[in-house]
Every structure is written in structure tokens, then in C-alpha cells.
Amino acid sequence: MPINVTMPRLSDTMEQGTVVKWHVKEGQKVSSGDVIADIETDKATMEQSIFDDGVIARLVCPEGKQVKVGELIAVLAVEGESPADAVAGAGAPPAPKASAPATKAAPVPAPAAVPVVTAQAVVVEDGPRTRISPVARRMAQEMGVDLAQVRGSGPGGRVIKRDIQAAAENRSAQAPAARAAAPAALVAAQPSAAPAPSAGAIVVGTTTVEVPVTNMRQVIARRLVESKQSIPHYQVSMKFSMDALLELRKGLNAQLAPMDVKLSVNDFIVRACALAMAKNRFFNASWAGDRILVHEQVNVGVAIALDEEKGGGLVVGVVKDTDRKSLRQISNEIRSLGEKARTKGLSIDEMSGATFTISNLGMFGVDNFTAIINPPNSAILACGAAIEQPVVRDHQLVVGWE
């Protein structure tokens, strides 16, 4: 019997996913544990492994296509079964025929006129000498950019997001007269005394580049709106003297230097929050509309920004039982979660179960900002940078860290 490979649920909130890249081809033998694809979820781009031995009979889902969880994306033929029989037994759609293309419609200046690049075409363009990030590959497909004409500016000549954007800008500068027809029509349709355009309106006379939004960023935007609408928000801002903490950190790091351990300010903040939550249980809770769910386990989520080459966006890595762990344990876990999030992607377990979240922008020089609660938490801590400035200590004006 053939094995149907379906879109997996790689996060607790995932409803659909995108096959960013296939690492296998039809007819290729695979073994259990082999990585066959990169899947973009609502939280990260993650590797998808196969759990059986066999031959890839059909890649049903093309790269760049978004499908729902549970939908068929590939068919695996097991030992003693031909790929054709496997495809027929799985009920997979037939392979596209290499027939003459359909009659082309008149050029349309809208983005929908950009032709869809099939997975097979991408494989040809992205040969063994070409390296391209998953998000850049998908942008090239959606914007109709020929990868063969793009020179990568990333590490080792890798084609990244900004290269695709630059190629699209160069192409738009040389666009045919048909592309200019839309702005002209918009000008004719607008009243002569029209007010300045608001956010989201089309600005006539400027060069605009469409940047596709990843599935993860779409979900982040949707969840933030839902959070503001469904969870009561109010903001409280406080300043703290950081002199004692910075002095303690300096001393501990000097002692831990021979072991190649370096504690960050964020590590201290995470532990302090965990201990405070253990004493103040309503900070370790979730809003459930008609009731409050108070959690016994203290799990602190740490916001992790992803690189543009990984599609950008934000994920939350979770340190479980944070109040029961030492500074060194917390530091090691946060560093491990950050590295894994930016390379392989975090597992469902590593992103689930946060009862409180910390978002720290201090390392970017931000001294004050407001964060939106990460559902289903009841609170979030937004941390800015510690700044050396004039402060009052014991009725005296001195220099301190706040």
C-alpha cells in the first residue's frame, strides 16, 4: 500500500503550511529520518522528515503553495510497489502534462498576471551552484523574477530577500507602457481636489515594490489583532536601578569565564520574573473570558526574532519550570532555543506552554516600548535598555544605570 505524506501540524496553532523547498525528487529513494522538505508554518520554517523507507512516487504539492494541515503533499511507494501503482492507489492528482500552454490573456498590470513557477522549473533554476534562501525563492516565484539572472549578495553568494527585491525594482523600471496604464487610469478617476492619500491608498507617481508577506507574518499580524480585541490590555511603565544587577553580573561572569559561560542581562530578568510569578500567581495565568486559569507550572516564553533568510517574523521559545532552574541553566536554554530557532526551527514542544512572555529590545538600543500580550497569557514584560544617566541616590545627584 502506498503511503500518503500529508501536510503535518508542526505547531499547536498551525492550520495551514507552505512547502518552501523540496529536498527530494520524484523517483528518489528515501529512508526513515531523511529530511524531504522545508515547511513554513505560522511560527517558523521547519524541516520535515519522512518516517518510512521507499521511493518518492509523486510530489503533489508544488513549492510555494499553501495547503491545509492534513492535505496530501506527496506519495511514497513502498518496497515492491511501482511509483505508478502507488500514485493510483493514493488517489493523487495526475502529473501535469507537457502540452502546449493555454492561450495567453492580454497583459494585466496587476500582480496576479505574474506567471506561476512550477517546482520543476525552480529545481532547474536553482542548480548545484546556486544557493538561495527559502523566502527569496518564494518571492522570486510570486514576483516572476528569473533566478538565473540574480546575483546573490548573501554569505557565500547566497541569493537572499534583498536581491529579489532589487531585481524586481530593476524590472519595474523597464516595464512596458502597459504597466503605466494603471496609474494613468487612477489619476483620471481621482477628483481634482482629492485629499492626501491615507495609509493603504495607492500613491501615484512613485515606484512601488510589492513584498510578499510570509505565512508566519500573516499569522502574527492576525494574532496581534485578536489579542488586542480579546484580552484586556493596560500598560504600566516602571524604571529600576540596574547598578546592583550589573555589578553582580560582572562578578559572576568573571568567575564563569574559564567555563566559557557569559550571563546576559536578559537571563537575570527571566529568572527574576519566574521567581516573582511563583509568588504572584495571577501573573502566571490565562484569561478565559468568564474565568481566569491560574497555572501551577511557571513557563517563561522568550521572544526570538528570526533572520530575514529564515522568513523573518517572531517566535517564542519556552523555558519550562523556569522558577526551579539556576541562572546558568536558564542562560544555556535561552541560547540553545535562539540558535535552534534561527537554524533548524523550534519543535512544537519548544514553542508551547508559555504562561508569561518577555520581549526584550534593549540590545537594539530601545529604551521604552509597549508589547502586546501573547495569547493565552495574561501579561507580557517589555524590556528596554539599561542607560547610564543622571539619577538621584540618597538625595544626591549621581551617575547610575536605569
Side-chain angles (χ1 to χ4, degrees):
M1 290 290 292
I3 296 174
N4 288 347
V5 182
T6 59
M7 175 60 69
R9 186 181 297 277
L10 298 175
S11 75
D12 53 343
T13 57
M14 179 179 172
E15 297 177 357
Q16 54 193 6
T18 302
V19 178
V20 178
K21 177 180 175 60
W22 283 112
H23 293 291
V24 294
K25 298 179 181 179
E26 292 182 359
Q28 180 177 332
K29 291 184 178 181
V30 293
S31 301
S32 177
D34 288 350
V35 175
I36 63 170
D38 291 336
I39 304 292
E40 182 189 73
T41 73
D42 59 336
K43 294 183 177 179
T45 299
M46 306 172 69
E47 295 179 341
Q48 171 63 14
S49 300
I50 195 76
F51 300 103
D52 300 276
D53 299 340
V55 175
I56 300 296
R58 173 69 50 79
L59 299 179
V60 178
C61 179
E63 292 180 344
K65 183 178 179 181
Q66 193 175 84
V67 299
K68 294 181 179 180
V69 170
E71 285 191 10
L72 186 67
I73 60 174
V75 178
L76 184 70
V78 297
E79 185 178 357
E81 183 179 37
S82 70
D85 291 341
V87 172
K97 298 180 180 179
S99 57
T103 303
K104 295 183 178 178
V108 181
V114 178
V116 177
V117 182
T118 64
Q120 185 178 3
V122 172
V123 173
V124 173
E125 289 174 344
D126 186 21
R129 296 183 180 180
T130 304
R131 299 177 61 206
I132 178 170
S133 71
V135 67
R137 182 192 306 282
R138 188 159 47 76
M139 285 179 62
Q141 293 178 2
E142 296 175 354
M143 302 173 76
V145 174
D146 183 3
L147 290 173
Q149 305 301 319
V150 180
R151 177 173 296 181
S153 62
R158 184 183 181 91
V159 177
I160 57 178
K161 178 179 177 180
R162 64 168 176 261
D163 301 323
I164 303 300
Q165 291 175 333
E169 285 183 296
N170 292 337
R171 185 185 61 183
S172 64
Q174 303 173 355
R179 189 177 291 271
L186 286 171
V187 172
Q190 290 178 349
S192 57
S198 60
I202 299 177
V203 182
V204 179
T206 64
T207 301
T208 302
V209 177
E210 290 189 1
V211 180
V213 179
T214 64
N215 182 39
M216 183 199 305
R217 282 181 165 169
Q218 292 178 43
V219 172
I220 289 173
R222 189 162 60 247
R223 293 284 164 77
L224 290 179
V225 173
E226 291 174 357
S227 175
K228 289 289 285 186
Q229 292 176 338
S230 61
I231 300 177
H233 276 66
Y234 69 92
Q235 289 77 38
V236 176
S237 297
M238 296 184 67
K239 288 186 176 181
F240 297 90
S241 172
M242 297 292 288
D243 298 271
L245 188 151
L246 294 178
E247 190 64 28
L248 175 61
R249 173 177 178 258
K250 181 179 178 181
L252 290 177
N253 279 340
Q255 298 176 28
L256 297 172
M259 292 170 276
D260 197 28
V261 175
K262 186 175 183 180
L263 303 174
S264 69
V265 172
N266 195 63
D267 298 332
F268 286 85
I269 294 173
V270 171
R271 175 148 172 79
C273 286
L275 295 177
M277 290 161 58
K279 293 182 179 180
N280 302 275
R281 63 193 192 122
F282 283 105
F283 278 97
N284 194 46
S286 298
W287 174 253
D290 59 347
R291 62 198 186 282
I292 296 175
L293 307 177
V294 180
H295 308 295
E296 297 295 329
Q297 188 178 18
V298 175
N299 300 333
V300 177
V302 180
I304 303 170
L306 301 181
D307 299 330
E308 288 295 329
E309 291 189 6
K310 292 292 289 183
L314 200 69
V315 296
V316 175
V318 182
V319 180
K320 307 289 178 65
D321 294 311
T322 322
D323 58 322
R324 302 179 184 180
K325 293 178 178 176
S326 67
L327 269 171
R328 284 187 60 181
Q329 288 176 303
I330 291 172
S331 180
N332 288 337
E333 283 198 36
I334 292 176
R335 186 176 293 106
S336 176
L337 288 168
E339 291 175 355
K340 189 176 179 183
R342 297 183 180 96
T343 53
K344 295 181 179 180
L346 298 177
S347 66
I348 296 176
D349 183 64
E350 291 167 329
M351 295 187 288
S352 302
T355 57
F356 184 84
T357 304
I358 295 175
S359 182
N360 190 345
L361 296 181
M363 64 284 293
F364 301 113
V366 177
D367 58 3
N368 183 33
F369 71 102
T370 300
I372 296 177
I373 296 173
N374 178 37
N377 299 169
S378 63
I380 187 170
L381 177 65
C383 297
I387 301 175
E388 194 174 23
Q389 57 188 327
V391 296
V392 177
R393 300 275 192 268
D394 298 325
H395 304 287
Q396 298 293 323
L397 185 64
V398 297
V399 176
W401 290 89
E402 284 197 347

